[in-house]
Amino acid sequence: MSQADQSLVPVKKVSESLSTARMMTIASTLLLTLMACKGRTLCAAQAIAPKDESISHLAQAKADLEDGKYAEAERILRERLANQGSEVEARYLLAYALFRENRPADSLKEYTEAARQRAPRAAELKTVALDYVLLKDYEDAEHWARYSLSLDGSDAEAWYELGRIEYTLNRFPPAVDAFQRALQLDPVSVKAENNLGLTFEALNRTDEALAAYRTAIAMQASAPHPSEQPMFNLARVLIDRNHLEQALPLLQQAAQIAPRDWKILAQLGRLYSERGELSAARETLEQAVTIEPRMASLHFQLGQVYRKSGSLEKANQEFATTKDLLGTTSSSIK
């Protein structure tokens, strides 16, 4: 999962939806294919070595993938496979390109087909796991992530992704273990340290969470493009503990990095409101509502600030919007 810090995937969203039966079929097919292809010597013998002229195509496809030109890479690889359909390396690259295009079901089909010719490597199985994350099938995602790590336990990114999967499944002790393993392999991973803090929070180990967030912030002190997430998370916990003065500069810096993050603005609005700075709270929350107009909690929070400011008509409008978004009806809140 990319720096998808708070949200695991790293987790990206997909618009497609698959029936449970269909997804079980995809998972079972891939598993059976791998079982049938356990003998790596046999699998290697099945793979047809690409002709010399294919090398330039694969090199170009790899370059396009590195440059983020996923659709172009897909086009090149499909053309290559149309001419030489059994070229296994091209098919594995196509499966990866489809993953990067946010097409997990198509990606899994290509991985299954490729696995008939050569057993997938650890990195390829890691992407299989991330395909299942995109499909929100976290049980299968965990299975393939652990399978990948059984082949290569030195991949810090794979441990991080497993941690995100375990966190999403509310399996917090295994998530702590995974993030700590990631940090052993990559001691300056800001996202692993930040997510370790989130997991400690979920376990009510708040002091350890605070320490993890502070460590993550220190890790990126000289980074040209720091993440706002550890600042946001540390500030959020500090506000819960009523340490408003410590939280304010953290949230202000986070807002500079990610000015359209409504969650950061919501916390800033909360902080300003608790400090009695109602004008600043109102402006901040109005901005947040403009960014995320369908979030009921933002309208309710803004309504509370309007009410504290004496703007009862505006407050009632926000409370009414809150109820509409929640699908409820009742009289105005006063």
Side-chain angles (χ1 to χ4, degrees):
M1 304 172 241
S2 64
Q3 185 161 10
D5 270 332
Q6 207 161 342
S7 45
L8 237 140
V9 178
V11 218
K12 302 172 183 176
K13 295 183 180 178
V14 293
S15 58
E16 61 201 279
S17 90
L18 296 169
S19 68
T20 302
R22 183 180 174 194
M23 285 316 306
M24 288 178 65
T25 299
I26 293 174
S28 299
T29 301
L30 182 55
L31 181 58
L32 289 172
T33 300
L34 294 179
M35 290 173 64
C37 203
K38 266 190 175 179
R40 288 181 175 273
T41 303
L42 174 61
C43 291
Q46 291 176 355
I48 299 177
K51 297 178 181 179
D52 290 343
E53 62 266 23
S54 72
I55 296 176
S56 62
H57 290 80
L58 292 181
Q60 183 59 56
K62 289 178 182 178
D64 286 337
L65 287 172
E66 290 175 1
D67 292 340
K69 300 176 182 177
Y70 308 126
E72 182 61 19
E74 179 192 355
R75 183 190 65 78
I76 293 172
L77 293 165
R78 287 196 184 280
E79 287 180 359
R80 186 64 206 163
L81 287 167
N83 296 325
Q84 192 171 334
S86 58
E87 191 174 339
V88 65
E89 301 307 325
R91 195 167 296 281
Y92 271 115
L93 283 176
L94 175 60
Y96 180 72
L98 292 168
F99 160 71
R100 298 299 306 196
E101 290 184 85
N102 205 15
R103 295 161 59 186
D106 292 335
S107 175
L108 286 171
K109 289 178 184 177
E110 296 299 334
Y111 275 124
T112 300
E113 185 60 32
R116 299 183 196 280
Q117 300 173 268
R118 169 176 71 69
R121 302 183 180 106
E124 291 153 352
L125 288 171
K126 179 173 66 176
T127 308
V128 167
L130 295 178
D131 274 328
Y132 280 109
V133 168
L134 292 178
L135 292 166
K136 301 187 185 302
D137 182 352
Y138 298 106
E139 295 288 350
D140 274 319
E142 180 194 33
H143 170 78
W144 294 111
R146 290 197 177 277
Y147 197 156
S148 171
L149 285 164
S150 74
L151 299 179
D152 179 10
S154 64
D155 187 338
E157 184 70 17
W159 281 110
Y160 167 77
E161 298 294 357
L162 176 61
R164 286 300 307 162
I165 293 165
E166 299 289 13
Y167 180 88
T168 303
L169 289 168
N170 293 326
R171 297 171 184 167
F172 302 123
V176 168
D177 177 67
F179 291 132
Q180 288 177 334
R181 294 288 293 274
L183 285 162
Q184 288 172 3
L185 294 163
D186 183 5
V188 292
S189 174
V190 173
K191 62 184 181 181
E193 191 72 45
N194 179 63
N195 278 270
L196 180 61
L198 289 171
T199 312
F200 281 145
E201 265 198 87
L203 291 167
N204 293 318
R205 294 161 61 177
T206 310
D207 288 340
E208 290 170 276
L210 288 169
Y213 296 142
R214 289 189 170 108
T215 299
I217 292 170
M219 284 178 177
Q220 61 178 12
S222 59
H225 303 291
S227 168
E228 74 282 0
Q229 286 301 314
M231 303 170 194
F232 167 75
N233 288 324
L234 176 57
R236 179 174 47 75
V237 178
L238 289 172
I239 293 173
D240 289 341
R241 293 188 167 190
N242 202 35
H243 298 316
L244 305 183
E245 297 303 319
Q246 295 179 43
L248 180 57
L250 291 165
L251 282 178
Q252 289 173 332
Q253 187 175 357
Q256 288 179 349
I257 296 170
R260 293 190 59 78
D261 188 321
W262 66 267
K263 293 180 181 179
I264 294 174
L265 294 173
Q267 287 296 323
L268 261 177
R270 173 190 172 194
L271 186 151
Y272 286 136
S273 180
E274 292 188 14
R275 282 164 54 105
E277 300 175 22
L278 298 182
S279 177
R282 184 182 66 251
E283 291 177 7
T284 302
L285 291 170
E286 286 173 344
Q287 183 181 352
V289 165
T290 300
I291 293 169
E292 193 62 43
R294 303 294 300 173
M295 185 58 58
S297 60
L298 287 178
H299 288 280
F300 183 75
Q301 196 177 350
L302 180 57
Q304 288 180 312
V305 170
Y306 280 145
R307 183 170 58 186
K308 288 180 181 179
S309 303
S311 302
L312 295 182
E313 183 177 352
K314 286 186 175 181
N316 283 330
Q317 289 175 352
E318 294 302 321
F319 293 139
T321 300
T322 301
K323 292 171 185 173
D324 288 342
L325 290 172
L326 293 175
T328 60
T329 56
S330 67
S331 58
S332 297
I333 298 175
K334 296 183 179 179

